[in-house]
Amino acid sequence: MFKAAALGVLCLSTFATASQQLLEQQSANVDSCPSCPGYTAKNVKIGKGTLSANLVLAGTACNAYGPDVQNLKLAVTYEDETRIHVKITDAKNKRYEVPDEIFKRPSGAAVDDKTADIKFNYKSSPFSFTITRVKTGEVLFDSSAGALVFEPQYLRLKTKLPNQANIYGLGEHTDSFRLNPTNTTRTLWNRDAPGVAQGSNLYGSHPIYFEHRTSGTHGVLLMNSDGMDVILRDGSLEYNVIGGVFDFYFFSGPSPVQVAQQYATLIGKPAEVPYWSLGFHQCRWGYHDYVEVANVVTNYSAAGIPLETMWTDIDYMYKYWTFTNDPEHFPTEKMREITDYLHKHNQQYIVMIDPAVAYQPNQNYGAFDRGVRDGAFLKFPNGTLYQGTVWPGPTVYPDWFHPNATKYWTGEIQRFFDPKTGIDIDGLWIDMNEAANFCDFCADPPAFVATAGNPPPRPAPPVAIDTQIFQKRQTSSSTTTSSTENVLNPPYAIHSAFDQLSQRTIRTDLIHANGLKEYDTHNLYGFMMSMNSQKGMEARRPGKRTLVITRSTFAGAGAKVGKWLGDNLSTWDHYRWSISGQLGMASIYQIPMVGSDICGFGGDTTETLCARWAMLGAFSPFMRNHNDETSISQEFYRWPTVAEAAKKAIAIRYQFLDYIYTYFHRQSTDGTPLIGPMWFQYPTDQNTYPIDLQFFYGDSVLVSPVTQESSTSVDIYLPKDIFYDYFTFAPVQGAGAKVSLSNVTFTDIPLHIRGGGILPMRVDSAMTTTTLRQKDFQIVVAPNASGTATGYLYIDDGVSLSQSKTTDITFQYAKGTLKASGEFNYNVGSVKIAKVVFLGVKSQPKGVSVSGSGAKSKGFKWDAATSTVTVNVAIPLEGGFSVTLKA
């Protein structure tokens, strides 16, 4: 969308063809050509925790991208002590706002502003406002950096920032975790984004940023789903939005974790996931029949690599029609045989569905026929079905705002995945939901299909229906809507990677069943599919947690689904980018169930890259190997080095799995991130602010992967703190400097335990998470410089939405004694604490004492070389206990 448009009053005589030049011109148009007048605040009314005012255009309209709205309405609410809501709307005309079914706005009385941590102040003319931290007087947000512009299809607000500001968020993107403060434009417009290029808009939109200073962290959310550019330059951040209203929420922090918690409280805390979902997953686009799927399962078992969940891409569908399976390549009876086998071996199965339903009238295609009957598909104003083109050829799309959409989608999920008659899946994968469309402004979908070749032909004939599986290892129309607004090519052109808003997606001039425009709600399409898919899975298995993994997201999606980072490439750059990608999703956007396609999706991986990625991927919350059909096979057992790396990495992960599960539960409870950047733990250490190749898993495990091709060394940063090498338990003193690690083989990954943490771990790994849950625990105590440590362990049944009995333990260590207290209500059977390992013990204890109901000591051993004491115990998880080292 880089062509010139009618922009009203302009100083620019020419238009650039390059997108960056266009952005500079557009910004200049508003800033100086002539200067836009802004607004004057009148009729200001101040209440207890509230402020309202009329904003009146302060001078001659600049009409930058349409007529300036003459009268606005300002409403400010102190919603709690840590959050201020600032809303600016059209005083006379109703404007689009994110619907309540997407974002449930807080209700209740405002709090007294005198008790708040942050304060709203304003200047009357020209109107601007600031958000100030009460304790320090520091200005966190200052809109006086530029005049407020409010037009039918263009909103603009600019805030001052410190020079070289530390800004994080505004995703989805593959840019550095800390955004370049001098030259970044983040465009929020969801799109099908193969290759996930840096500097471009990707699958999701999250209009939230954290700004961190040595004095504290705060957050800013603009709850607006319209397309936007957020332009970050040294000293300023500028919103340029093509619709809706200004609907700001400011979060006080002051710690980064507190900002994360405050944001989660507003948009919804992440959904709990099944315990099994934290195991290892395998998928490929290109398993062409049921035999290949079964062979992969068998091969992993034969290789001794734990496989928790097997996945199948769109290959299983009949002509790529959603809610079908190919009767020759993936017959129902064979698919049921696969799921039965997996379930018998305590493994799981997941398949993909797309939102686009094949346009197949009079073909006895139930998913299409029932959708038409229910009126659940998007339509043109004349009532004809809107058609696009995706994998099946001509397609229609669910209108998620239609009152029958949820019933329709839930019914299809229940019917096709019926445990007794259909494919008995355990989770769901939803894709292409930006929504993707291969035919731009498709006037003749069949003609486009004839040229494009959709659906793609199958590469091979079907296997014989009696082929045995699981025997042994196998090698292997142009109607438009009427509107006074240009919703196809709005006057302000956001910096999308595609030239037009409707390119590779649904037309933005369509009107949903509830009257909302696709123009305004485009960025919500994937979120609404996520919400409805979660409902469908819950209806299919009442009372059970769901695992739904999506591609397209919006603010709050983590309360419904998990997210994979899309169609990356098998390159070292993408390996590195995956770290910042998952940090953004988990720690900023509150989507902790996140991971990249391990070893890369597009292109051929290499043995060394895949080995490194297997090690790194074990420290993604969502761990899945996945690639496309045109690339070489990359299952972990394909190369000796990769197989060794995967076995080691998964063994470490599985021993850590209850630590991971505990922190996942914590994020679901209060928003504390499961994984986070180093500066979350060291907010005053400025050296940590740009680091995005190391990260913390929970509070205590520092992950520092090798990130350079062919290298067996890595320079890592260790803050001024005590750490312990995970593999030897030997203490390592950080000095606030880089440390060079050498001889890091392709089957190793540097891990350190941060001093002050206590880690609950299983004594051994297992081939499935079901078996893992039968293993005993060991507790690793890693004291800080003050000789104290804290940790947590949460246990439940791992699958139920509502838990009747749980175990929730707090571990505390001080003065040589480990104490465990809390709730011990979940029956773990014979599982017990079998070992306690104390780190940083410089002299041999004279003895050990163990107390607690049924607790027994079985001796101890001190290792002088690593300064560790290992105490063998038998402590049932039935009540509090303590273990003391006698000096």
Side-chain angles (χ1 to χ4, degrees), residues 490-501:
Y492 177 86
I494 60 172
H495 187 49
S496 177
F498 294 141
D499 287 348
Q500 297 188 13
L501 293 182

PDB file of all heavy atoms in Angstrom, residues 490-501:
ATOM      1  N   PRO A 490      -7.189   2.866   2.565  1.00  0.00           N
ATOM      2  CA  PRO A 490      -7.383   4.066   3.391  1.00  0.00           C
ATOM      3  C   PRO A 490      -6.334   5.123   3.082  1.00  0.00           C
ATOM      4  O   PRO A 490      -5.247   4.816   2.578  1.00  0.00           O
ATOM      5  CB  PRO A 490      -7.240   3.535   4.818  1.00  0.00           C
ATOM      6  CG  PRO A 490      -6.439   2.285   4.683  1.00  0.00           C
ATOM      7  CD  PRO A 490      -6.820   1.689   3.370  1.00  0.00           C
ATOM      8  N   PRO A 491      -6.644   6.363   3.378  1.00  0.00           N
ATOM      9  CA  PRO A 491      -5.724   7.461   3.019  1.00  0.00           C
ATOM     10  C   PRO A 491      -4.353   7.350   3.674  1.00  0.00           C
ATOM     11  O   PRO A 491      -3.355   7.723   3.070  1.00  0.00           O
ATOM     12  CB  PRO A 491      -6.473   8.716   3.471  1.00  0.00           C
ATOM     13  CG  PRO A 491      -7.569   8.231   4.360  1.00  0.00           C
ATOM     14  CD  PRO A 491      -7.905   6.854   3.938  1.00  0.00           C
ATOM     15  N   TYR A 492      -4.304   6.881   4.905  1.00  0.00           N
ATOM     16  CA  TYR A 492      -2.990   6.635   5.509  1.00  0.00           C
ATOM     17  C   TYR A 492      -2.619   5.184   5.238  1.00  0.00           C
ATOM     18  O   TYR A 492      -3.367   4.266   5.571  1.00  0.00           O
ATOM     19  CB  TYR A 492      -3.007   6.892   7.018  1.00  0.00           C
ATOM     20  CG  TYR A 492      -1.679   6.573   7.680  1.00  0.00           C
ATOM     21  CD1 TYR A 492      -0.671   7.527   7.729  1.00  0.00           C
ATOM     22  CD2 TYR A 492      -1.429   5.313   8.219  1.00  0.00           C
ATOM     23  CE1 TYR A 492       0.553   7.239   8.306  1.00  0.00           C
ATOM     24  CE2 TYR A 492      -0.212   5.013   8.799  1.00  0.00           C
ATOM     25  CZ  TYR A 492       0.784   5.969   8.836  1.00  0.00           C
ATOM     26  OH  TYR A 492       2.000   5.675   9.402  1.00  0.00           O
ATOM     27  N   ALA A 493      -1.470   4.968   4.651  1.00  0.00           N
ATOM     28  CA  ALA A 493      -1.021   3.628   4.278  1.00  0.00           C
ATOM     29  C   ALA A 493      -0.055   3.087   5.329  1.00  0.00           C
ATOM     30  O   ALA A 493       1.066   3.569   5.458  1.00  0.00           O
ATOM     31  CB  ALA A 493      -0.337   3.672   2.912  1.00  0.00           C
ATOM     32  N   ILE A 494      -0.513   2.110   6.100  1.00  0.00           N
ATOM     33  CA  ILE A 494       0.389   1.518   7.092  1.00  0.00           C
ATOM     34  C   ILE A 494       1.500   0.757   6.380  1.00  0.00           C
ATOM     35  O   ILE A 494       1.399   0.408   5.208  1.00  0.00           O
ATOM     36  CB  ILE A 494      -0.370   0.597   8.075  1.00  0.00           C
ATOM     37  CG1 ILE A 494      -1.057  -0.554   7.340  1.00  0.00           C
ATOM     38  CG2 ILE A 494      -1.347   1.394   8.913  1.00  0.00           C
ATOM     39  CD1 ILE A 494      -1.656  -1.598   8.275  1.00  0.00           C
ATOM     40  N   HIS A 495       2.526   0.488   7.127  1.00  0.00           N
ATOM     41  CA  HIS A 495       3.772  -0.057   6.584  1.00  0.00           C
ATOM     42  C   HIS A 495       3.705  -1.585   6.486  1.00  0.00           C
ATOM     43  O   HIS A 495       4.587  -2.299   6.945  1.00  0.00           O
ATOM     44  CB  HIS A 495       4.905   0.382   7.514  1.00  0.00           C
ATOM     45  CG  HIS A 495       6.274   0.070   7.039  1.00  0.00           C
ATOM     46  ND1 HIS A 495       6.721   0.367   5.781  1.00  0.00           N
ATOM     47  CD2 HIS A 495       7.330  -0.513   7.680  1.00  0.00           C
ATOM     48  CE1 HIS A 495       7.984  -0.015   5.665  1.00  0.00           C
ATOM     49  NE2 HIS A 495       8.379  -0.558   6.809  1.00  0.00           N
ATOM     50  N   SER A 496       2.614  -2.108   5.906  1.00  0.00           N
ATOM     51  CA  SER A 496       2.476  -3.552   5.788  1.00  0.00           C
ATOM     52  C   SER A 496       3.426  -4.106   4.735  1.00  0.00           C
ATOM     53  O   SER A 496       3.766  -3.424   3.762  1.00  0.00           O
ATOM     54  CB  SER A 496       1.033  -3.916   5.426  1.00  0.00           C
ATOM     55  OG  SER A 496       0.892  -5.302   5.247  1.00  0.00           O
ATOM     56  N   ALA A 497       3.819  -5.357   4.935  1.00  0.00           N
ATOM     57  CA  ALA A 497       4.693  -6.005   3.961  1.00  0.00           C
ATOM     58  C   ALA A 497       4.001  -6.198   2.622  1.00  0.00           C
ATOM     59  O   ALA A 497       4.657  -6.314   1.589  1.00  0.00           O
ATOM     60  CB  ALA A 497       5.168  -7.350   4.502  1.00  0.00           C
ATOM     61  N   PHE A 498       2.653  -6.245   2.621  1.00  0.00           N
ATOM     62  CA  PHE A 498       1.900  -6.310   1.390  1.00  0.00           C
ATOM     63  C   PHE A 498       1.392  -4.920   1.041  1.00  0.00           C
ATOM     64  O   PHE A 498       1.090  -4.107   1.911  1.00  0.00           O
ATOM     65  CB  PHE A 498       0.715  -7.270   1.527  1.00  0.00           C
ATOM     66  CG  PHE A 498       1.119  -8.707   1.727  1.00  0.00           C
ATOM     67  CD1 PHE A 498       0.413  -9.527   2.601  1.00  0.00           C
ATOM     68  CD2 PHE A 498       2.209  -9.251   1.064  1.00  0.00           C
ATOM     69  CE1 PHE A 498       0.771 -10.845   2.790  1.00  0.00           C
ATOM     70  CE2 PHE A 498       2.584 -10.570   1.242  1.00  0.00           C
ATOM     71  CZ  PHE A 498       1.867 -11.374   2.115  1.00  0.00           C
ATOM     72  N   ASP A 499       1.226  -4.649  -0.252  1.00  0.00           N
ATOM     73  CA  ASP A 499       0.901  -3.300  -0.694  1.00  0.00           C
ATOM     74  C   ASP A 499      -0.483  -2.846  -0.275  1.00  0.00           C
ATOM     75  O   ASP A 499      -0.722  -1.662  -0.075  1.00  0.00           O
ATOM     76  CB  ASP A 499       1.014  -3.204  -2.221  1.00  0.00           C
ATOM     77  CG  ASP A 499       2.458  -3.223  -2.690  1.00  0.00           C
ATOM     78  OD1 ASP A 499       3.344  -3.080  -1.834  1.00  0.00           O
ATOM     79  OD2 ASP A 499       2.690  -3.383  -3.905  1.00  0.00           O
ATOM     80  N   GLN A 500      -1.433  -3.792  -0.164  1.00  0.00           N
ATOM     81  CA  GLN A 500      -2.808  -3.423   0.151  1.00  0.00           C
ATOM     82  C   GLN A 500      -3.294  -4.216   1.356  1.00  0.00           C
ATOM     83  O   GLN A 500      -2.854  -5.340   1.602  1.00  0.00           O
ATOM     84  CB  GLN A 500      -3.721  -3.661  -1.054  1.00  0.00           C
ATOM     85  CG  GLN A 500      -3.353  -2.801  -2.265  1.00  0.00           C
ATOM     86  CD  GLN A 500      -4.375  -2.911  -3.375  1.00  0.00           C
ATOM     87  OE1 GLN A 500      -5.475  -3.420  -3.181  1.00  0.00           O
ATOM     88  NE2 GLN A 500      -4.016  -2.405  -4.551  1.00  0.00           N
ATOM     89  N   LEU A 501      -4.231  -3.637   2.095  1.00  0.00           N
ATOM     90  CA  LEU A 501      -4.730  -4.284   3.300  1.00  0.00           C
ATOM     91  C   LEU A 501      -5.331  -5.647   3.015  1.00  0.00           C
ATOM     92  O   LEU A 501      -5.194  -6.582   3.805  1.00  0.00           O
ATOM     93  CB  LEU A 501      -5.784  -3.401   3.975  1.00  0.00           C
ATOM     94  CG  LEU A 501      -5.341  -2.075   4.573  1.00  0.00           C
ATOM     95  CD1 LEU A 501      -6.523  -1.386   5.242  1.00  0.00           C
ATOM     96  CD2 LEU A 501      -4.206  -2.261   5.574  1.00  0.00           C
TER      97      LEU A 501
END
